[in-house]
Amino acid sequence: MPRYYRYLGDLLDEGVERISSNELSEKMKVTASQIRQDLNNFGGFGQQGYGYNVQYLYDEIGKILGLEEQHNIIVIGAGNLGQALANYSKFQKLGFMIIGLFDINPALKGESQSGVPIMMLDELEDFASKHKIDIAAFTMPKYTADTIANRLVGLGIRAIWNFAHLDLDLVDKNVVVENVHLSDSLMQLSYNMLQSQD
Amino acid sequence: MPRYYRYLGDLLDEGVERISSNELSEKMKVTASQIRQDLNNFGGFGQQGYGYNVQYLYDEIGKILGLEEQHNIIVIGAGNLGQALANYSKFQKLGFMIIGLFDINPALKGESQSGVPIMMLDELEDFASKHKIDIAAFTMPKYTADTIANRLVGLGIRAIWNFAHLDLDLVDKNVVVENVHLSDSLMQLSYNMLQSQD
DNA sequence: TAGATTGTTAATCGATTAACAATC
DNA sequence: TAGATTGTTAATCGATTAACAATC
């Protein structure tokens, strides 16, 4: 669904008002059947003989993805990747606000990135008592990840966006984990390069 | 397969010599059947009654993923994410060397990140004539991506690791594209959070 | 040899595609 | 009304799981 949302957003920018599953299928390189099946699973967003209204469909998918409500994010690990996430403005437009960076390096204490304060990890509980935190992004070394993850679960966090190079082992199965394993992605790329040589 | 490689590497670090599909299945949270099926697709790496030799299997999967040969990477876009990639040392251990950063911001000319030089985009052809470039990572704004992609294809690049928020439209279908859409990943996370509430 | 565990075939499941009736 | 295009059912395909014979 995020991919649909992205394409519909692009269409909106281009000023397109309506689109058929056939037109969209050409753009997205998926079958029209697939599109109709997917969209219909979530509700009848189209109209026979007309197609889909781009703005309406965009809004509806936004709702399905939970984008009407704002999400507050903290980033654990204020290294290059953590700072890059804090500086990335696109997330804000989707309602994802990065409200704090945490690290253990005392040299970073009191610093900030694009207006996002960098705090020490032992200030986490204090910060959590003052702010609603929905998501924690993990950009720190993997050996501390499991411990911090479960500490955050205790603080009521609801999701982890995990860039650390391991699969998290959580005490609470209701906490959602979304992995971004950059090394895995590079290896997959390498594998696909080998395959495409034939 | 990258996930197997990661788990086997961890097992090696722990000093584990052999493992059965059953043990591995518990660790990786996939069925033992799945593991045997996957591994056997690529060759008979196991031994009945014994299981799999961790080191051997690790090496074989490395070969399958194309990790014995070094890959040279350039990064287009020396913003926060581009710099973060250049600073990330884990990639080097897997044989992925970042050998150049490119940008259009003149203020960055002559700078470097972790020993990786930052160059201007118009120096690309010159650089390509002097170095073998296997992969280009795209961390620049999306509106320039398609043009640069096809320019790089002309220079003989073989793969694009795409962080730009679009699906690339390439002239050469033999060029491999691996997408890392961070916004999509965040939206997916948001969606999964809604689902897990039930 | 007996026990363990793979390699491999067969059965199941889910996701994708095709087809077409419903309807705007 | 006729044409277009969805919603939805049925058919196909591929991937996952189960089962077990092969074999170390």
Side-chain angles (χ1 to χ4, degrees):
Chain A
M1 296 306 275
R3 192 154 177 267
Y4 287 115
Y5 193 73
R6 180 151 53 85
Y7 273 85
L8 290 164
D10 290 348
L11 286 169
L12 274 182
D13 289 344
E14 293 165 22
V16 178
E17 262 181 39
R18 68 188 186 93
I19 193 156
S20 68
S21 55
N22 247 304
E23 292 169 288
L24 193 55
S25 101
E26 274 185 39
K27 278 194 195 287
M28 294 186 64
K29 310 269 166 62
V30 292
T31 63
S33 215
Q34 177 85 264
I35 290 173
R36 293 204 297 277
Q37 195 76 263
D38 287 348
L39 297 181
N40 205 243
N41 271 346
F42 290 101
F45 301 137
Q47 193 170 72
Q48 285 99 327
Y50 172 88
Y52 300 89
N53 178 290
V54 177
Q55 180 74 58
Y56 174 69
L57 187 55
Y58 180 79
D59 292 341
E60 287 301 315
I61 294 180
K63 280 184 207 165
I64 290 164
L65 293 172
L67 301 181
E68 337 97 298
E69 54 180 310
Q70 183 180 306
H71 294 89
N72 289 332
I73 305 182
I74 59 171
V75 179
I76 314 290
N80 289 96
L81 183 55
Q83 298 193 10
L85 293 181
N87 280 305
Y88 204 48
S89 57
K90 175 147 289 160
F91 302 146
Q92 284 187 32
K93 289 181 196 137
L94 297 166
F96 297 94
M97 316 305 271
I98 298 188
I99 58 171
L101 286 156
F102 290 85
D103 208 299
I104 52 167
N105 181 356
L108 294 170
K109 183 161 182 167
E111 302 273 316
S112 70
Q113 269 290 323
S114 306
V116 180
I118 303 182
M119 288 158 280
M120 294 297 99
L121 205 54
D122 54 28
E123 303 175 73
L124 188 57
E125 280 72 13
D126 184 52
F127 187 84
S129 70
K130 290 176 184 148
H131 301 85
K132 176 168 170 288
I133 307 173
D134 302 296
I135 304 170
F138 277 23
T139 65
M140 74 295 220
K142 68 175 171 182
Y143 46 84
T144 55
D146 266 325
T147 315
I148 298 178
N150 286 308
R151 191 168 148 201
L152 283 162
V153 169
L155 292 172
I157 209 138
R158 293 179 45 223
I160 292 173
W161 197 23
N162 180 41
F163 291 77
H165 201 221
L166 84 168
D167 296 321
L168 292 168
D169 200 8
L170 292 184
V171 288
D172 185 339
K173 298 299 173 198
N174 283 329
V175 172
V176 171
V177 177
E178 171 82 13
N179 292 303
V180 181
H181 291 318
L182 294 182
S183 306
D184 286 13
S185 168
L186 255 189
M187 288 190 258
Q188 188 63 50
L189 179 67
S190 169
Y191 175 75
N192 289 340
M193 284 168 76
L194 279 185
Q195 299 309 304
S196 79
Q197 282 178 343
D198 316 325
Chain B
M1 293 306 274
R3 191 154 177 267
Y4 286 116
Y5 193 74
R6 179 152 51 86
Y7 272 85
L8 290 164
D10 289 348
L11 286 169
L12 274 182
D13 289 344
E14 293 164 23
V16 178
E17 260 179 40
R18 69 187 185 92
I19 194 156
S20 68
S21 56
N22 247 303
E23 292 170 287
L24 193 54
S25 101
E26 274 184 40
K27 278 193 194 291
M28 294 186 64
K29 311 268 164 66
V30 292
T31 63
S33 215
Q34 176 86 266
I35 290 173
R36 293 202 298 278
Q37 195 76 263
D38 286 348
L39 296 181
N40 205 244
N41 271 346
F42 290 102
F45 301 137
Q47 193 170 70
Q48 284 101 328
Y50 172 86
Y52 300 89
N53 178 290
V54 177
Q55 180 74 59
Y56 174 69
L57 187 55
Y58 179 79
D59 292 342
E60 288 300 316
I61 295 180
K63 283 183 205 164
I64 290 165
L65 293 172
L67 301 181
E68 338 97 298
E69 53 179 308
Q70 184 181 306
H71 295 88
N72 289 330
I73 305 183
I74 59 170
V75 178
I76 313 291
N80 289 96
L81 183 55
Q83 297 192 8
L85 293 180
N87 280 306
Y88 203 51
S89 56
K90 176 147 287 160
F91 302 147
Q92 283 187 34
K93 289 180 196 138
L94 296 166
F96 298 94
M97 315 305 272
I98 298 187
I99 60 171
L101 285 156
F102 289 85
D103 208 301
I104 51 167
N105 180 357
L108 294 170
K109 184 161 183 167
E111 301 273 315
S112 70
Q113 269 291 320
S114 306
V116 180
I118 303 183
M119 289 159 280
M120 294 297 98
L121 206 55
D122 55 28
E123 302 175 74
L124 189 57
E125 279 72 13
D126 184 52
F127 187 85
S129 70
K130 291 177 182 146
H131 300 85
K132 176 169 169 287
I133 307 173
D134 302 297
I135 303 169
F138 277 24
T139 66
M140 73 296 218
K142 68 175 172 183
Y143 46 86
T144 55
D146 265 325
T147 314
I148 298 178
N150 286 309
R151 191 168 148 200
L152 282 162
V153 168
L155 292 172
I157 209 140
R158 291 177 47 224
I160 292 172
W161 196 23
N162 179 41
F163 292 77
H165 201 221
L166 84 169
D167 295 321
L168 293 168
D169 200 8
L170 293 184
V171 288
D172 184 340
K173 297 300 172 199
N174 283 328
V175 171
V176 171
V177 177
E178 171 81 13
N179 292 303
V180 181
H181 290 317
L182 295 182
S183 307
D184 286 12
S185 167
L186 256 190
M187 288 190 258
Q188 187 64 49
L189 180 66
S190 169
Y191 174 74
N192 290 340
M193 284 168 76
L194 279 186
Q195 299 309 303
S196 80
Q197 282 178 342
D198 317 325

